[in-house]
PDB file of all heavy atoms in Angstrom:
ATOM      1  N   PHE B 139     233.114 -70.814 118.994  1.00 93.00           N
ATOM      2  CA  PHE B 139     234.303 -71.145 119.790  1.00 93.00           C
ATOM      3  C   PHE B 139     234.378 -72.638 120.125  1.00 93.00           C
ATOM      4  O   PHE B 139     235.032 -73.040 121.093  1.00 93.00           O
ATOM      5  CB  PHE B 139     234.332 -70.287 121.068  1.00 93.00           C
ATOM      6  CG  PHE B 139     234.553 -68.836 120.749  1.00 93.00           C
ATOM      7  CD1 PHE B 139     233.496 -67.948 120.720  1.00 93.00           C
ATOM      8  CD2 PHE B 139     235.812 -68.368 120.422  1.00 93.00           C
ATOM      9  CE1 PHE B 139     233.687 -66.614 120.390  1.00 93.00           C
ATOM     10  CE2 PHE B 139     236.014 -67.038 120.091  1.00 93.00           C
ATOM     11  CZ  PHE B 139     234.951 -66.147 120.073  1.00 93.00           C
ATOM     12  N   GLY B 140     233.705 -73.428 119.335  1.00 94.00           N
ATOM     13  CA  GLY B 140     233.878 -74.872 119.421  1.00 94.00           C
ATOM     14  C   GLY B 140     233.195 -75.565 120.581  1.00 94.00           C
ATOM     15  O   GLY B 140     233.470 -76.732 120.866  1.00 94.00           O
ATOM     16  N   ALA B 141     232.279 -74.875 121.225  1.00 95.00           N
ATOM     17  CA  ALA B 141     231.605 -75.488 122.376  1.00 95.00           C
ATOM     18  C   ALA B 141     230.448 -76.380 121.956  1.00 95.00           C
ATOM     19  O   ALA B 141     229.950 -77.168 122.757  1.00 95.00           O
ATOM     20  CB  ALA B 141     231.118 -74.414 123.339  1.00 95.00           C
ATOM     21  N   GLN B 142     229.980 -76.210 120.703  1.00 96.00           N
ATOM     22  CA  GLN B 142     228.943 -77.105 120.189  1.00 96.00           C
ATOM     23  C   GLN B 142     229.173 -77.267 118.697  1.00 96.00           C
ATOM     24  O   GLN B 142     229.738 -76.373 118.037  1.00 96.00           O
ATOM     25  CB  GLN B 142     227.535 -76.573 120.503  1.00 96.00           C
ATOM     26  CG  GLN B 142     227.168 -75.246 119.880  1.00 96.00           C
ATOM     27  CD  GLN B 142     225.772 -74.791 120.315  1.00 96.00           C
ATOM     28  OE1 GLN B 142     225.527 -74.537 121.489  1.00 96.00           O
ATOM     29  NE2 GLN B 142     224.866 -74.699 119.349  1.00 96.00           N
ATOM     30  N   PRO B 143     228.748 -78.396 118.130  1.00 97.00           N
ATOM     31  CA  PRO B 143     229.128 -78.722 116.745  1.00 97.00           C
ATOM     32  C   PRO B 143     228.282 -78.032 115.678  1.00 97.00           C
ATOM     33  O   PRO B 143     228.604 -78.104 114.495  1.00 97.00           O
ATOM     34  CB  PRO B 143     228.916 -80.242 116.695  1.00 97.00           C
ATOM     35  CG  PRO B 143     227.842 -80.506 117.710  1.00 97.00           C
ATOM     36  CD  PRO B 143     228.044 -79.498 118.793  1.00 97.00           C
ATOM     37  N   ASP B 144     227.199 -77.411 116.058  1.00 96.00           N
ATOM     38  CA  ASP B 144     226.314 -76.788 115.072  1.00 96.00           C
ATOM     39  C   ASP B 144     225.619 -75.579 115.709  1.00 96.00           C
ATOM     40  O   ASP B 144     225.904 -75.218 116.856  1.00 96.00           O
ATOM     41  CB  ASP B 144     225.268 -77.793 114.569  1.00 96.00           C
ATOM     42  CG  ASP B 144     224.571 -78.476 115.736  1.00 96.00           C
ATOM     43  OD1 ASP B 144     224.245 -77.776 116.710  1.00 96.00           O
ATOM     44  OD2 ASP B 144     224.378 -79.709 115.700  1.00 96.00           O
ATOM     45  N   LEU B 145     224.711 -74.982 114.949  1.00 95.00           N
ATOM     46  CA  LEU B 145     224.026 -73.775 115.444  1.00 95.00           C
ATOM     47  C   LEU B 145     222.675 -74.087 116.104  1.00 95.00           C
ATOM     48  O   LEU B 145     221.873 -73.189 116.336  1.00 95.00           O
ATOM     49  CB  LEU B 145     223.809 -72.801 114.277  1.00 95.00           C
ATOM     50  CG  LEU B 145     225.065 -72.043 113.827  1.00 95.00           C
ATOM     51  CD1 LEU B 145     224.800 -71.323 112.514  1.00 95.00           C
ATOM     52  CD2 LEU B 145     225.517 -71.055 114.889  1.00 95.00           C
ATOM     53  N   GLU B 146     222.463 -75.320 116.403  1.00 95.00           N
ATOM     54  CA  GLU B 146     221.192 -75.704 117.036  1.00 95.00           C
ATOM     55  C   GLU B 146     221.041 -75.021 118.398  1.00 95.00           C
ATOM     56  O   GLU B 146     222.003 -74.949 119.184  1.00 95.00           O
ATOM     57  CB  GLU B 146     221.162 -77.223 117.211  1.00 95.00           C
ATOM     58  CG  GLU B 146     219.852 -77.745 117.740  1.00 95.00           C
ATOM     59  CD  GLU B 146     219.904 -79.258 117.931  1.00 95.00           C
ATOM     60  OE1 GLU B 146     220.520 -79.941 117.075  1.00 95.00           O
ATOM     61  OE2 GLU B 146     219.371 -79.743 118.925  1.00 95.00           O
ATOM     62  N   ALA B 147     219.842 -74.531 118.662  1.00 96.00           N
ATOM     63  CA  ALA B 147     219.595 -73.849 119.939  1.00 96.00           C
ATOM     64  C   ALA B 147     219.474 -74.885 121.056  1.00 96.00           C
ATOM     65  O   ALA B 147     218.591 -75.742 121.019  1.00 96.00           O
ATOM     66  CB  ALA B 147     218.319 -73.021 119.854  1.00 96.00           C
ATOM     67  N   ARG B 148     220.385 -74.802 122.003  1.00 96.00           N
ATOM     68  CA  ARG B 148     220.369 -75.736 123.136  1.00 96.00           C
ATOM     69  C   ARG B 148     220.149 -75.001 124.454  1.00 96.00           C
ATOM     70  O   ARG B 148     219.667 -75.580 125.420  1.00 96.00           O
ATOM     71  CB  ARG B 148     221.700 -76.487 123.228  1.00 96.00           C
ATOM     72  CG  ARG B 148     221.987 -77.424 122.077  1.00 96.00           C
ATOM     73  CD  ARG B 148     223.413 -77.989 122.198  1.00 96.00           C
ATOM     74  NE  ARG B 148     223.650 -79.087 121.292  1.00 96.00           N
ATOM     75  CZ  ARG B 148     223.979 -78.964 120.005  1.00 96.00           C
ATOM     76  NH1 ARG B 148     224.087 -77.744 119.484  1.00 96.00           N
ATOM     77  NH2 ARG B 148     224.175 -80.019 119.242  1.00 96.00           N
ATOM     78  N   TYR B 149     220.535 -73.737 124.494  1.00 96.00           N
ATOM     79  CA  TYR B 149     220.517 -72.997 125.758  1.00 96.00           C
ATOM     80  C   TYR B 149     219.735 -71.686 125.624  1.00 96.00           C
ATOM     81  O   TYR B 149     219.703 -71.067 124.566  1.00 96.00           O
ATOM     82  CB  TYR B 149     221.950 -72.669 126.212  1.00 96.00           C
ATOM     83  CG  TYR B 149     222.761 -73.885 126.550  1.00 96.00           C
ATOM     84  CD1 TYR B 149     223.608 -74.453 125.607  1.00 96.00           C
ATOM     85  CD2 TYR B 149     222.677 -74.472 127.809  1.00 96.00           C
ATOM     86  CE1 TYR B 149     224.354 -75.593 125.904  1.00 96.00           C
ATOM     87  CE2 TYR B 149     223.417 -75.610 128.120  1.00 96.00           C
ATOM     88  CZ  TYR B 149     224.250 -76.160 127.158  1.00 96.00           C
ATOM     89  OH  TYR B 149     224.978 -77.282 127.465  1.00 96.00           O
ATOM     90  N   GLY B 150     219.151 -71.289 126.745  1.00 95.00           N
ATOM     91  CA  GLY B 150     218.546 -69.974 126.859  1.00 95.00           C
ATOM     92  C   GLY B 150     219.082 -69.326 128.125  1.00 95.00           C
ATOM     93  O   GLY B 150     219.801 -69.958 128.900  1.00 95.00           O
ATOM     94  N   ILE B 151     218.715 -68.069 128.331  1.00 92.00           N
ATOM     95  CA  ILE B 151     219.157 -67.394 129.555  1.00 92.00           C
ATOM     96  C   ILE B 151     218.673 -68.149 130.791  1.00 92.00           C
ATOM     97  O   ILE B 151     219.375 -68.276 131.786  1.00 92.00           O
ATOM     98  CB  ILE B 151     218.604 -65.952 129.579  1.00 92.00           C
ATOM     99  CG1 ILE B 151     219.199 -65.142 128.439  1.00 92.00           C
ATOM    100  CG2 ILE B 151     218.869 -65.286 130.920  1.00 92.00           C
ATOM    101  CD1 ILE B 151     220.695 -64.955 128.508  1.00 92.00           C
TER     102      ILE B 151
END
Side-chain angles (χ1 to χ4, degrees):
Chain B
F139 293 100
Q142 63 183 64
D144 51 42
L145 284 169
E146 185 182 322
R148 294 173 168 82
Y149 295 96
I151 295 297

